[in-house]
Amino acid sequence: MPVIVVNLEDLRELLGRDVSIEEFQDRLPMMGTSWEGVTEDGFHLEVFPNRPDLLSIEGLARAYASWTGARTGLRKYPVEKSDYKVVVDTKTQEVRPWFVTAVVKNVEFDDPLIRSIIQMQEKLHVTHGRRRRKVAIGLHSLEPIEFPVTYTTKPPEFKFRPLGERFEKDLTWILSEMKTGKEYAWTVEGFKEYPMILDKKGMVLSMPPIINGEYTRIDESTTELFIDVTGTDLKAITEVLNVICVTLADRGAEIHEVHNHYPDGTVLTTPNLEPWVMDLDNDYVNHTLGYEFTPQESARELEKMGHGTEINGNVIKVLIPSYRADIMHPIDLVEDIAIGYDYDNFEPEIPPISSEAGEDPLEVFSRGLRNFLVGLGLLEVVTFMMSNRDKLFHRMSLPEEPICETDNPKMEAYDSLRNRLLPNLMEILSTNKHHPYPQNLYEVDDVVVIDPSTETGARSRRRLAITLCHSSASFSEIKATMNTLLENLELEAEVVEGGWDCFIEGRRYTAMLGGEPLCWAGEIKPEVLEKWELEMPVAALEMDIDKLFKKIYLEK
Amino acid sequence: MNPREVAERLHENERKVLQALSGRGTATTEELSRLTGLARDAVEKASDWAATKGVVSFKEEVSQFFSLTDEGSVYAENGLPEQNLRKLLVHGPQEIAKLKQTFENLNIALAWMRRNGWADIQNGVMELTDEGKKVDDSPEKRLLRALDKPTPQSGEAFTEDETPVLEQMVKRKLVTKNEETERSVAITDFGRQVLPELEAAESVNVITQLTPEMLVNKSWRGASFQRYDVTLPAPSLSPGKRHFISQVIDYIRRFWVELGFKEMKGEYLELSFWNFDALYQPQDHPARDLADTFYMKTPYSGQLPDPKMVEQVKETHENGWTTGSLGWQYKWDPEVAARNCLRTHTTSLSVKQIAKLTPDDLPAKFFSCGRVFRNETIDWNHLAEFYQTDGIVIGEGVTFRDMKGYLKAYMEGLGVERFRFRPGYFPYTEMSMEAEVWIEERGEWMELFGAGMFRPEVVKPLIGIDVPVLAWGPGFDRLVMQSYKVNTIKELYTNDIGLLRRAKLWME
């Protein structure tokens, strides 16, 4: 989630009040942000991705002034009529179809505003813009631009002078040589022609979402802006344009409309900073919050969150500001009321709901086993489910079989899910050689195996593994351990010679229950011990607990 | 204690040591080992015990041993360079320039001649002083010869007069000096009083270890038991024991059940549909990135569940369906939803549970406790898998205040004293909330877990009606770390056998 740096002085100036850092630290989280600490640049605040309007210091000041009651209700953002025209070429519709724009005048670019705008643009690109693919913003000096502006595409050999370069460069060079070109080339990968914004004279404003042209460079003397937002999602780019426009308007700028002509004849006039309307049933509010607000009280809290309200009986007509991107359901307005009223002010309550309670029977069964094994003097271990083929097969001298493997692991050592517990226990023995013996361990937990009959093609199975490791660990000891466990469950298994390859031949068995294998046991082969760098004999078993559970729990 | 009582308390080995000392009074542990027939460490242990009872004491003697260094060996054979030069000068002054060509080790010789004041140098000519003429080299010669042996020589072999010369050679690194400390055991006066009691104590048939035979043949009757020093340390045992995380999980299960919750279970390997889509997370949401989520190579994807419900989820994402929402307004792709992943939260179990319910099953309360996975590079503070426990309360009339009520109970159950709930953000909850604890040492709030009420866009497509659901998903690793004074999360899963054997029991 994006973290912004807020200069304390800038924020105080916008609020017109000498707010202490302690107040911000205490209150801003209750408004719906996360306090991340203070450095010499200011305080750091995490803004939730559903509130892009808070990514600028102006937006933060706007919300805080409302929420604390200093200036509540809907703010009006007038948009001046104009005849600025842009044309969207049909060629763009295949690659990056959406384009909205605005003209802003009377901008005073002092340091705090520049800082704030750059930060906001950067954070919007990362989060809302999904690293510029979904949304990209271009800010231009209006002065050189001759309207109409055209949004079109150009072939790779097309040349213009990108921002920060002394000479014209072709588009291929920009994508392969320039820093921002290389960083964002992935957003235009596979395009035959690249998106391009030009004015009437054919001068390039921008190659979205990669880089602007030198032609419309902004400096301290710039007072009039042309803003373009391009992207793959009209809703997202409109929200972003609105957020930027109201931020500049909060600094005293004038917003002018632009008419965007689409190839199908549609004309989108942007920005539209008028509020939109959603009806909110006050009963729904109280029903959800467990409170008894009157419609007037609910409306007051909504106004603290920047909304306009009109009350009609029990229904509140909510005028939602154009910069609020997150409202999509009345429940979002209910949350605004809760935040406006302050989460702290709701008394906790436990409802008298009686419902069936209890643990999962397999968990009860597993706990019984765990406690019994402790009585045998075994030490329980809890190991990772993620493993790898080397550990599961090669080091165990077991033949490879299909297992569940991940597609994109960051670490090769953890790229698969274990299909057995035993290898993990062997690993623990190998990392604990400095501790006194005997080291007799067990684990009761899940493994995951391939199973085409399930929804995903895999299934988890509960297993038990035991390793007995000391100078006289033997076959008879591990077999006695299994027998004792089964006796205490009033079960008897049929022992058949043979089993897993990690055990010494002639000293390994498979125990069968109802004609199906239940347990594999024996003395671990010296070659396997060697692979784990163990110099102590190990006798071990692994048991299918699902089978045991089914027998005990379901058949009784 | 009187001598008789002490005599009765002596272990067999202590008695042997004391008896061995009766004649000579003092002996080294090596000698005692020979005299008693006990191993050296048994003698040492018995002597230690005996010393605590005041019957013996220890004496430590330091002995010095000397031997020649390589340089010293050369001089033992050829003579010291300064002596050789001095002898040469006895026959008359020498020119330094000439000596440089003929005399070996001239610099060493010159340095010592000058330091000893044996010679003067004028205009490049060297001449013995009166002092130099009187020098007697026999003590040094004798010492070097005496030390020129294959084994080191004890310091006792040298006279007091020789000591300064010897020390000088040590300083000059011609001779090395080693010190050995020998511990010898001496019987004390009190020990001598105990000695005559030993026989009497022995003659009454003292039992060290009670054996089955003694019980069978009743030889224990009339015998006395050797008295133990009950304050002596005993070794620690290696217990069979539950892993501490496993103990904590038991506790958490019990905690939920006592609050009236029923356990839900599910798979680790899950459809993206259950992990994300059913939770109304849009398909381009950053949380679904490869960078955070493990997607499966095998099995790559699975079968979407009940087509009617899937259609409802799809519609909700695209346009809000009948939930009253605008939806995310994009084209929902069933293939993305069918992709298998490792669950990133146990909240996947919660939505799966809701999908299984019918309106008749309400109200209901469920919890889960299990592992979740994140595609992290493992280091001391990041793991690819860890535990989470989720809770949901579903039913008509359940409210935001109730959520605060349950979470307050949960926090108090965990023993957290100062906590607060602030607004948070999750794509699938509204109200969303973060539970925070106050960390006094740092003077700030720390996030503990997220909670919220599932959005209507989550609930209605799954169960068919809009009904409130409270949901929360705390991890508890931090809590366990704090309780076990473990500083890094990785230590929780290292399975160090030493730590497991001594880790305190979770007594809650």
Side-chain angles (χ1 to χ4, degrees), chain B residues 404-470:
Chain B
K404 280 192 74 175
Y406 280 114
L407 295 183
K408 181 167 174 271
Y410 184 79
M411 295 294 243
E412 286 168 351
L414 296 180
V416 179
E417 280 167 16
R418 191 169 161 200
F419 52 87
R420 74 173 181 185
F421 305 111
R422 65 161 174 84
Y425 172 72
F426 305 99
Y428 42 91
T429 54
E430 194 82 6
M431 289 33 73
S432 299
M433 134 193 304
E434 290 283 352
E436 294 186 323
V437 286
W438 178 256
I439 306 293
E440 190 60 51
E441 305 90 74
R442 283 195 263 153
E444 60 185 28
W445 295 97
M446 185 184 81
E447 282 174 28
L448 204 59
F449 59 87
M453 295 175 77
F454 278 149
R455 299 186 64 97
E457 294 97 323
V458 174
V459 180
K460 196 175 178 189
L462 301 177
I463 190 171
I465 55 167
D466 185 6
V467 56
V469 181
L470 315 179

Side-chain angles (χ1 to χ4, degrees), chain B residues 245-292:
Chain B
I245 289 182
S246 175
Q247 296 178 50
V248 173
I249 290 171
D250 275 5
Y251 168 73
I252 285 171
R253 285 212 164 86
R254 202 176 68 232
F255 181 87
W256 286 118
V257 170
E258 283 170 7
L259 276 177
F261 285 69
K262 186 172 160 64
E263 184 165 10
M264 46 190 177
K265 296 271 293 176
E267 292 292 330
Y268 303 92
L269 200 157
E270 197 52 276
L271 295 174
S272 291
F273 179 83
W274 291 117
N275 198 69
F276 298 117
D277 297 278
L279 279 160
Y280 193 54
Q281 267 176 284
Q283 293 187 326
D284 75 340
H285 194 275
R288 301 179 71 144
D289 271 2
L290 293 164
D292 300 314

Side-chain angles (χ1 to χ4, degrees), chain B residues 205-219:
Chain B
N205 185 12
V206 178
I207 294 174
T208 317
Q209 176 69 47
L210 187 62
T211 62
E213 290 76 27
M214 291 174 189
L215 292 167
V216 171
N217 62 28
K218 310 215 184 296
S219 64

Side-chain angles (χ1 to χ4, degrees), chain A residues 467-488:
Chain A
T467 51
L468 306 174
C469 178
H470 54 88
S471 57
S472 57
S474 69
F475 177 86
S476 68
E477 192 185 358
I478 195 70
K479 188 172 176 187
T481 305
M482 180 195 81
N483 285 346
T484 310
L485 174 61
L486 294 182
E487 271 165 32
N488 278 267

Side-chain angles (χ1 to χ4, degrees), chain B residues 131-178:
Chain B
E131 178 83 5
K133 287 172 186 160
K134 285 188 284 187
V135 173
D136 173 16
D137 67 346
S138 46
E140 287 166 333
K141 255 186 176 166
R142 198 167 53 241
L143 270 177
L144 286 172
R145 212 178 305 126
L147 288 168
D148 193 15
K149 303 264 167 60
T151 53
Q153 298 301 301
S154 164
E156 286 170 27
F158 302 98
T159 65
E160 230 166 89
D161 296 345
E162 288 170 324
T163 313
V165 186
L166 199 55
E167 291 298 334
Q168 174 80 331
M169 289 187 175
V170 171
K171 262 192 213 152
R172 219 176 137 177
K173 300 211 167 73
L174 303 181
V175 172
T176 50
K177 178 166 89 175
N178 287 305

